[in-house]
Amino acid sequence: MILNSGDLEEMGEPKGVRRAARAAGRRLGWHPKTHVVDARLFVYDDRGVPREISEPAARDAADAINAELRGGE
């Protein structure tokens, strides 16, 4: 999840928003991490991506790149 500066202003103190985002992630079973970069708050799950998701995604990405390199087939 990415919250921009406008979102953060509406939600209140950044420290509290980060704490709430981490708590929400834990309730979802995540291992939540947060980082602020250029007035944006990034919230992500720090667990590894399961193989049944990562392998097809990697193949799909490679196929899309190859198609683009061949002229957008």
Side-chain angles (χ1 to χ4, degrees):
M1 174 173 67
I2 302 170
L3 300 173
N4 65 31
S5 60
D7 296 328
L8 292 173
E9 287 176 14
E10 290 179 22
M11 298 176 88
E13 163 119 18
K15 186 176 181 179
V17 174
R18 288 178 84 168
R19 188 178 316 114
R22 287 190 301 269
R26 284 190 295 274
R27 282 194 297 275
L28 293 170
W30 291 12
H31 296 178
K33 299 288 182 187
T34 61
H35 294 282
V36 176
V37 178
D38 295 331
R40 289 186 208 104
L41 174 63
F42 291 79
V43 182
Y44 63 94
D45 186 352
D46 195 38
R47 294 177 296 171
V49 178
R51 177 173 276 151
E52 62 269 14
I53 294 172
S54 65
E55 287 180 357
R59 279 193 303 273
D60 290 349
D63 290 346
I65 291 168
N66 286 331
E68 194 61 35
L69 290 172
R70 287 185 300 237
E73 296 175 6

